[in-house]
């Protein structure tokens, strides 16, 4: 997966923690799977890009009722264990072979016939105000969610890629992303 660019305005010695999370079920957070997790740092001043590659989620860990339908893949970034950005991509999982909708797909489900489609051109971006220097919680507006940002993400085609659904709350902001298909995460990190 290709992550957004990050604009860092001052040098720091702390790492940024990036995660790629597959939401396995809207009703059960224990079905969420961390597909990749990496610490990056220290982050130099300027524009930085990070690339993550993640395996498909384990279908055995997804409840049967949530294998088909809509879910989310989340890319999050944290600084000093405080999440400051969450980018959500809707994922639709459909069964490739035709079936009677009144009866449902065959049981047991042939996982190799599940087709995953990621709506990569319409991510949900939520920014969180955090205390960058370790001080108390920053005062400011609540989390902002950009309804249809222009964040690009490349996802490898996997026959085993599956999903479920979840609603992560955040205040909506109708701003879009940058014209170049990336989102700039401008932040000023403290000197340490």
């Amino acid at each position: 997966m290709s992550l957004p660019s990050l604009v860092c305005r001052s040098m720091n010695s702390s790492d940024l923690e990036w995660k790629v999370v597959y939401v396995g079920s809207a009703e059960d957070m224990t079905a969420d799977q961390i597909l990749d997790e990496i610490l990056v740092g220290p982050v130099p001043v300027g524009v930085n890009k990070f690339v993550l590659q993640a395996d498909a989620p384990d279908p055995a860990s997804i409840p049967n009722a949530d294998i088909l339908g809509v879910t989310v893949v989340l890319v999050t970034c944290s600084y000093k264990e405080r999440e400051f950005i969450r980018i959500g991509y809707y994922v639709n999982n459909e069964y490739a072979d035709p079936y009677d909708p009144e009866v449902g797909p065959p049981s047991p489900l042939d996982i190799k016939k599940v087709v995953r489609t990621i709506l990569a051109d319409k991510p949900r971006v939520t920014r969180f105000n955090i205390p960058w220097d370790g001080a108390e919680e920053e005062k400011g507006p609540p989390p902002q969610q950009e309804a249809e940002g222009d964040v690009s993400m490349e996802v490898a085609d996997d026959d085993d890629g599956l999903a479920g659904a979840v609603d992560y709350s955040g205040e909506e902001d109708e701003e879009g992303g940058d014209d170049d298909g990336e989102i700039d995460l401008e932040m000023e990190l403290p000197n340490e």
Side-chain angles (χ1 to χ4, degrees):
M1 296 183 145
S2 177
L3 292 177
S5 62
L6 176 74
V7 178
C8 182
R9 296 184 185 262
S10 63
M11 186 66 177
N12 77 332
S13 61
S14 295
D15 292 336
L16 297 178
E17 179 183 29
W18 290 93
K19 288 184 187 179
V20 178
V21 179
Y22 181 86
V23 177
S25 173
E27 289 82 32
D28 184 5
M29 288 183 64
T30 63
D32 292 359
Q33 298 178 45
I34 296 175
L35 303 180
D36 202 357
E37 184 174 25
I38 187 168
L39 293 175
V40 177
V43 178
V45 173
V47 177
N48 298 273
K49 291 188 180 189
F50 310 100
V51 177
L52 288 176
Q53 286 188 314
D55 292 332
D58 177 12
S61 299
I62 301 169
N64 289 336
D66 294 317
I67 290 177
L68 298 178
V70 178
T71 191
V72 177
V73 171
L74 299 172
V75 177
T76 67
C77 191
S78 299
Y79 175 74
K80 293 187 176 180
E81 299 183 9
R82 302 292 305 262
E83 181 181 358
F84 67 91
I85 189 83
R86 179 183 303 150
I87 306 165
Y89 295 89
Y90 290 108
V91 179
N92 187 35
N93 297 291
E94 298 176 299
Y95 200 66
D97 287 351
Y99 62 88
D100 182 354
E102 292 182 19
V103 177
S107 184
L109 199 62
D110 183 356
I111 296 299
K112 293 183 183 200
K113 293 184 179 180
V114 174
V115 177
R116 178 185 63 200
T117 305
I118 298 175
L119 191 58
D121 61 338
K122 297 189 185 275
R124 296 284 187 169
V125 178
T126 306
R127 291 182 171 94
F128 301 94
N129 291 319
I130 64 168
W132 292 104
D133 61 0
E136 290 298 312
E137 188 75 24
E138 279 189 10
K139 303 293 183 219
Q144 294 183 342
Q145 187 170 19
E146 297 174 8
E148 295 180 2
D150 291 328
V151 178
S152 65
M153 178 178 282
E154 298 170 346
V155 179
D157 291 331
D158 282 325
D159 291 335
D160 296 329
L162 303 175
V166 72
D167 177 24
Y168 284 89
S169 61
E171 297 293 322
E172 288 197 14
D173 182 6
E174 294 297 326
E175 297 175 24
D178 295 340
D179 292 334
D180 61 0
E182 298 173 345
I183 186 166
D184 291 329
L185 308 175
E186 295 188 19
M187 62 180 192
E188 194 158 323
L189 298 177
N191 294 326
E192 295 182 312

